[in-house]
Amino acid sequence: MTAFAVENNALIDERALSKLRWRCRRGLLENDLFIERFFDRYASSLTEAQAEGLRLLMDLSDNDLLDLFLRRKEPEGELMRPDVSEVLSLLRVPA
């Protein structure tokens, strides 16, 4: 395993997790519900790679993000990455 792979599989620390939670606050309640459920389930095991995938998703507009969560769209362009796909599949897991 390369150093990059090991680093990306490392868990994020509490400070990084706190910053990520703040970054994930959205203006659309539906998105917040998906994101809060994600953190409730995976916060204690979130890796650097997953955190990066989530950060990329948070660059989207609320409507585009909701379309991805609801499977109305699939990632395209710069979002066609393994870390984004992994996080998106975790975010889409039913309640």
Side-chain angles (χ1 to χ4, degrees):
M1 192 177 287
T2 67
F4 178 74
V6 170
E7 181 179 310
N8 276 352
N9 287 324
L11 297 180
I12 65 170
D13 61 32
E14 283 298 316
R15 180 177 156 102
L17 180 61
S18 178
K19 287 175 132 179
L20 186 59
R21 278 184 184 263
W22 181 259
R23 171 73 178 88
C24 289
R25 293 179 46 185
R26 305 303 293 196
L28 196 60
L29 174 63
E30 292 85 349
N31 286 340
D32 281 336
L33 295 174
F34 276 96
I35 294 165
E36 191 58 37
R37 186 178 64 207
F38 171 84
F39 279 116
D40 287 346
R41 290 180 179 171
Y42 305 109
S44 64
S45 62
L46 199 61
T47 66
E48 291 290 343
Q50 292 166 331
E52 181 59 23
L54 190 54
R55 285 183 199 102
L56 290 170
L57 287 170
M58 292 305 111
D59 288 339
L60 296 172
S61 72
D62 281 339
N63 290 330
D64 289 339
L65 187 60
L66 185 60
D67 285 345
L68 286 173
F69 289 166
L70 297 176
R71 294 182 171 91
R72 293 180 194 153
K73 292 182 180 176
E74 291 300 321
E76 48 189 46
E78 294 178 3
L79 293 178
M80 292 183 65
R81 300 168 36 139
D83 52 353
V84 171
S85 295
E86 179 183 1
V87 170
L88 191 54
S89 68
L90 296 173
L91 282 156
R92 289 173 167 173
V93 173

